[in-house]
Amino acid sequence: MATNQFPDDFRCPISLEIMSDPVILSSGHTFDRSSIQRWLDSGHRTCPITNLPISDPPCLIPNHALRSLISNYTLVSLPVTRACPADPQALIQTLISKSAPVDSKLSSLDQLSKLCKRDSAIRRRLSESGAVSAVLNCVDADGDSGLQEKVLHLLLNLSLDDDNKVGLVAEGVVGKVVAALRVGSGDSRAVAATVLTSLTVVEVNKATIGAYPDAIPGLVWLLWYGNARERKEAATALYTLCSFPDNRLRAVENHAVPILIQNSNSGLERAVEVLGLLAKCKEGRLEMMKYGGFLDTLLEFLKNGSSRGVQYALLTINMLCTFSEHMCIEAIRKGVFEICVQLLEDENEKVRRNANTLIQILQGKKGVFSRNGMS
């Protein structure tokens, strides 16, 4: 896919290239990691966009949701043709028409999706023109599985702009997206989860979608029964939702912990990231304590996970050891203290900080063990 077909929001403000590893600066703006790192290595301690001072040392927070959207964009984007697209209003009229055949509606959805690829102005025009309501009515009227998949493609493209995200939720798209998590065909279930990730980038939508009936239960269901891609996208959406504290209890109550542990055992690192958030609530910690082998899973990520996997495994162990003396004892016996000492030399500042915090928690217990002759 040519880079000029990607939304402008996918481009790094410094290099103007599509971001491969987007990170958020303390100013709130997102850059590609390599570009902002060069800026920082040159001695700058201001945001390249606002020129305002940033934290020192600089903190680069991975923009997990945007990275997922960029990586999935080519998978969910529809093919581009050289033909001049029809006027959006004419396409919408086809969708509204009760007499229009399904093939015509599928074609209209294709063309609307192509229009959405061009730039944010076209996406805004479509959002303001009544396209969303027409699309939702189209699905209600026909219930065609092919229409469902194309509708989700279009909604994902429309949701790429922050200005559209709140409006889409207000227009009632969440119900259709959530329904597709369980009954979607083809790629619909994975795309539905990606749409939820996109919509929940906006803070206000996290509360709205999290409280929506079957949103979190639908994602948990997909973690149980989905294929590899579907489970990854469901975990990503759940992670974004659970960055809002109220949604953590909802996830725990919908039995997210056991399936996240199961997915972690299968090597899905995204599941460990969600568990790190759920460990911040008491109910999540209590649920995790029921699974005796969970610490071994976290240890595996400490030894062999990516920097992000190590970070969230440490965070989870920190929360559990603060909560439970029994977990402290098990962590010490399994060599977590020694691993943390090694991680103090890690290049990731968050890994070093989490490792140091865990060392402080375990150090007192380790001294008690030594005095009592325990190993």
Side-chain angles (χ1 to χ4, degrees):
M1 175 183 291
T3 58
N4 61 3
Q5 295 169 353
F6 282 84
D8 291 340
D9 293 342
F10 288 0
R11 299 181 184 277
C12 174
I14 297 175
S15 68
L16 301 181
E17 298 294 329
I18 303 303
M19 291 181 278
S20 59
D21 188 7
V23 293
I24 305 171
L25 204 58
S26 58
S27 64
H29 292 280
T30 297
F31 305 87
D32 195 55
R33 184 183 293 275
S34 60
S35 297
I36 193 62
Q37 192 62 59
R38 284 195 296 270
W39 170 267
L40 297 173
D41 290 345
S42 299
H44 297 288
R45 287 300 178 267
T46 58
C47 172
I49 293 179
T50 65
N51 288 323
L52 295 174
I54 58 175
S55 61
D56 194 12
C59 180
L60 303 180
I61 304 171
N63 194 330
H64 199 46
L66 180 59
R67 182 171 185 172
S68 179
L69 291 175
I70 293 173
S71 65
N72 281 286
Y73 189 71
T74 54
L75 294 174
V76 301
S77 295
L78 299 166
V80 177
T81 65
R82 296 180 180 274
C84 180
D87 180 79
Q89 291 298 340
L91 298 173
I92 293 169
Q93 287 302 316
T94 300
L95 293 175
I96 294 174
S97 172
K98 294 182 179 180
S99 60
V102 172
D103 286 348
S104 296
K105 293 185 177 184
L106 289 170
S107 176
S108 295
L109 284 168
D110 275 345
Q111 293 180 69
L112 284 170
S113 291
K114 293 170 189 175
L115 290 172
C116 283
K117 291 182 184 179
R118 296 190 168 195
D119 55 47
S120 58
I122 292 178
R123 292 192 290 273
R124 185 166 56 251
R125 179 187 170 194
L126 284 173
S127 296
E128 295 171 353
S129 68
V132 174
S133 295
V135 164
L136 296 180
N137 289 336
C138 166
V139 175
D140 283 339
D142 297 280
D144 182 270
S145 60
L147 283 173
Q148 181 193 56
E149 187 170 339
K150 292 186 184 299
V151 164
L152 290 167
H153 286 117
L154 177 58
L155 292 177
L156 180 57
N157 284 335
L158 288 172
S159 74
L160 294 172
D161 299 311
D162 285 354
D163 290 343
N164 288 344
K165 297 181 195 295
V166 176
L168 287 170
V169 172
E171 288 197 56
V173 306
V174 178
K176 300 299 178 187
V177 176
V178 167
L181 293 173
R182 294 182 186 263
V183 299
S185 59
D187 289 334
S188 291
R189 299 198 298 188
V191 180
T194 307
V195 173
L196 290 181
T197 299
S198 179
L199 293 174
T200 50
V201 168
V202 176
E203 198 69 23
V204 67
N205 282 350
K206 293 176 182 177
T208 304
I209 295 174
Y212 195 92
D214 211 36
I216 288 176
L219 291 169
V220 173
W221 184 92
L222 196 55
L223 283 170
W224 279 107
Y225 300 106
N227 60 32
R229 182 189 169 202
E230 290 166 350
R231 286 185 282 109
K232 180 180 178 181
E233 295 307 319
T236 301
L238 202 56
Y239 175 87
T240 311
L241 277 169
C242 289
S243 64
F244 182 70
D246 289 358
N247 290 332
R248 295 167 192 164
L249 179 57
R250 293 186 178 111
V252 173
E253 290 176 341
N254 282 281
H255 312 293
V257 170
I259 186 55
L260 286 167
I261 292 176
Q262 181 174 312
N263 276 276
S264 299
N265 288 335
S266 301
L268 180 60
E269 194 165 272
R270 201 70 48 87
V272 178
E273 296 168 14
V274 184
L275 287 165
L277 295 180
L278 299 187
K280 293 183 177 183
C281 73
K282 178 182 178 180
E283 294 79 5
R285 295 190 293 270
L286 284 170
E287 190 67 20
M288 291 174 203
M289 294 294 294
K290 296 177 182 178
Y291 298 90
F294 182 39
L295 182 58
D296 292 327
T297 299
L298 296 174
L299 278 169
E300 185 63 28
F301 278 96
L302 288 185
K303 296 174 182 176
N304 301 308
S306 70
S307 181
R308 188 174 174 85
V310 172
Q311 175 190 329
Y312 277 90
L314 282 170
L315 174 63
T316 306
I317 298 173
N318 266 321
M319 294 293 177
L320 293 175
C321 285
T322 301
F323 180 69
S324 165
E325 182 174 329
H326 172 73
M327 181 60 72
C328 284
I329 294 170
E330 286 301 304
I332 293 169
R333 284 176 171 166
K334 290 180 180 293
V336 172
F337 185 91
E338 290 75 16
I339 294 173
C340 286
V341 171
Q342 296 174 2
L343 290 174
L344 291 176
E345 304 299 321
D346 194 273
E347 61 181 16
N348 185 310
E349 190 269 338
K350 287 189 176 182
V351 169
R352 296 196 304 272
R353 186 169 68 238
N354 285 346
N356 184 62
T357 300
L358 187 50
I359 285 172
Q360 301 305 314
I361 294 170
L362 297 178
Q363 208 155 26
K365 294 295 180 184
K366 194 173 176 64
V368 171
F369 277 20
S370 298
R371 289 193 297 272
N372 293 337
M374 299 173 66
S375 60

